[in-house]
Amino acid sequence: MRFVSLTLAAASVFAAGPALAQPAAQAAPYIAPDYTQDASWVCRPGRADSCAADLSTTSVAANGKTKITDVAAAKAPAVDCFYVYPTVSTDATPNSDMVQDRAETNVTVAQFAAFRSVCRTFAPMYRQVTLAALRDVMTGKPTTADRAMAYRDVSAAWADYLKRDNAGPKGPRGVILIGHSQGSGVLKALIQNEIEGKPVAGRIIAAYLAGTNVLVPAGKDVGGDFKSTPVCRANGQTGCVVPWVSFRDDAVPPANTRFGRTQVADMAVACANPASVAGGRGTLKAMLPADSAIVDNAAAQAEWAKGVAVTSRFVALPGLLSAECKTVDGANVLAIRTDADPADPRTDRINGDVVVGGQVLADWGLHLIDVSATMGNLTDLAARQSKAWLAKQR
């Protein structure tokens, strides 16, 4: 499996910029997609869609032994997950259409399908800003991309979900929000505009916002981008957000980085480690796409382990990766370390850097694997937080 151009230039739209850009004055009247139609969703419960896909994973141990596993769906899950995918659309237009292409379905398989072990899965299509439009921005060309439309589509999908799906026999269902890069930026705006200060806030178990800057007052865990939603700092904490941007442990984010730094006075970029929200270093439970190149715009991945053939869609390397939130030259990042052993047949380097024209873009860090590197930790955290939220309802 190969998912296309994961979030190349997405930060220039949502990750480091305003929560919601306004449409041009001459923009056509907004008409929301019809989210009562199944075709408007990449994932909905009870369907044979991307969230029911094969997630076979070859786990390669330090001694080279392998084991293939899959991710079973929870039976009658009591909570929901709502996912907004990153910038992946290969449509030639500034905003994507509502037709599912491999780009949207493949990234949903890679970043979201595993949450079926915890929750019912909802992932709307939306008319996101496309890769074509973002490349124009990066090269200084004008663009007519409507950034507000992307947000308004997701807002309409959220309203449809609340109306049709969130009610349960025991009351409203808890929901986890999950996004990456442009998707995280859209969810950040959704929390700001549609959730905080409203009764629906009580239904939010947590929000996992990968690959975007969430600002907090320096030294604090609440305030800044969110008025009342704190950063998660305990496994049983709910109603909180887990934000992170990934860099290699030995990398210093450059001054022009899109992630981890802010020019906003008295503010800092928040970081919560999915592997240890309480702080400190944690072992990552990565679930990486097993193709020779992790994603387009990434350097080719060396073989996962000498003498080991990986034929499954994903690969896991238990104990090889660890991470902690660190401040590096003023940037707050999730520093990912490869704990390599010369005697270990597994690879000594995991790729996830953005590469354009043969050059690594240091300002992007390990943006391409923000989610994949932490997948098992996120589903574990989702299970713990869901249990805690359900206990509070009783």
Side-chain angles (χ1 to χ4, degrees), residues 194-205 228-229 239 389:
E194 308 293 337
I195 294 173
E196 283 199 316
K198 297 176 171 60
V200 71
R203 307 180 206 179
I204 304 301
I205 297 170
S228 56
T229 306
W389 185 89

Side-chain angles (χ1 to χ4, degrees), residues 44-391:
R44 279 188 62 83
R47 301 192 323 188
D49 56 26
S50 296
C51 288
D54 169 33
L55 295 181
S56 58
T57 302
T58 300
S59 179
V60 185
N63 60 6
K65 292 186 177 180
T66 62
K67 178 181 179 181
I68 296 180
T69 61
D70 201 343
V71 179
K75 295 181 179 179
V79 301
D80 296 338
C81 291
F82 186 94
Y83 166 73
V84 184
Y85 50 82
T87 313
V88 292
S89 176
T90 55
D91 293 348
T93 49
N95 286 79
S96 65
D97 58 28
M98 289 290 289
V99 178
Q100 293 185 34
D101 298 324
R102 288 184 62 189
E104 290 91 356
T105 57
N106 282 352
V107 74
T108 302
V109 172
Q111 291 192 340
F112 184 54
F115 284 92
R116 70 193 184 200
S117 64
V118 177
C119 50
R120 296 193 307 174
T121 50
F122 295 84
M125 289 289 296
Y126 70 109
R127 291 170 292 184
Q128 69 170 208
V129 177
T130 61
L131 288 164
L134 296 174
R135 281 191 285 265
D136 285 346
V137 171
M138 290 188 73
T139 56
K141 297 179 181 178
T143 179
T144 58
D146 188 343
R147 293 177 283 183
M149 181 166 66
Y151 166 77
R152 294 174 77 175
D153 282 1
V154 173
S155 179
W158 174 249
D160 178 82
Y161 158 74
L162 291 177
K163 180 179 179 179
R164 290 201 293 144
D165 300 295
N166 188 258
K170 297 182 181 179
R173 295 170 64 90
V175 56
I176 300 172
L177 303 176
I178 301 158
H180 183 229
S181 202
Q182 184 175 169
S184 289
V186 171
L187 285 175
K188 184 165 73 170
L190 187 77
I191 295 169
Q192 292 168 328
N193 299 329
E194 308 293 337
I195 294 173
E196 283 199 316
K198 297 176 171 60
V200 71
R203 307 180 206 179
I204 304 301
I205 297 170
Y208 304 154
L209 304 182
T212 195
N213 286 346
V214 172
L215 301 187
V216 292
K220 299 184 181 300
D221 286 330
V222 67
D225 280 337
F226 299 132
K227 295 179 181 178
S228 56
T229 306
V231 178
C232 296
R233 296 302 184 197
N235 286 326
Q237 186 179 0
T238 61
C240 54
V241 60
V242 179
W244 73 100
V245 295
S246 305
F247 280 78
R248 294 189 185 278
D249 186 68
D250 58 357
V252 177
N256 68 334
T257 182
R258 293 166 169 82
F259 307 105
R261 298 187 188 277
T262 179
Q263 300 301 314
V264 180
D266 301 320
M267 290 287 168
V269 176
C271 180
N273 183 359
S276 179
V277 292
R281 180 169 295 277
T283 299
L284 293 181
K285 298 181 178 180
M287 181 177 164
L288 300 164
D291 282 1
S292 59
I294 292 174
V295 287
D296 287 355
N297 298 316
Q301 173 66 46
E303 63 178 339
W304 297 107
K306 294 179 181 178
V308 175
V310 176
T311 59
S312 60
R313 299 184 83 169
F314 297 95
V315 63
L317 304 163
L320 185 64
L321 300 177
S322 63
E324 65 176 327
C325 288
K326 293 174 61 175
T327 300
V328 183
D329 190 29
N332 294 333
V333 302
L334 183 69
I336 295 180
R337 187 176 75 194
T338 303
D339 296 313
D341 182 342
D344 187 331
R346 300 179 299 179
T347 182
D348 291 338
R349 185 175 179 86
I350 299 298
N351 285 330
D353 311 275
V354 176
V355 177
V356 175
Q359 298 296 314
V360 171
L361 302 186
D363 52 318
W364 286 83
L366 291 176
H367 191 68
L368 298 181
I369 57 169
D370 279 324
V371 177
S372 297
T374 60
M375 181 58 68
N377 307 97
L378 291 171
T379 54
D380 287 351
L381 181 60
R384 293 194 299 268
Q385 291 182 305
S386 296
K387 183 178 179 180
W389 185 89
L390 291 167

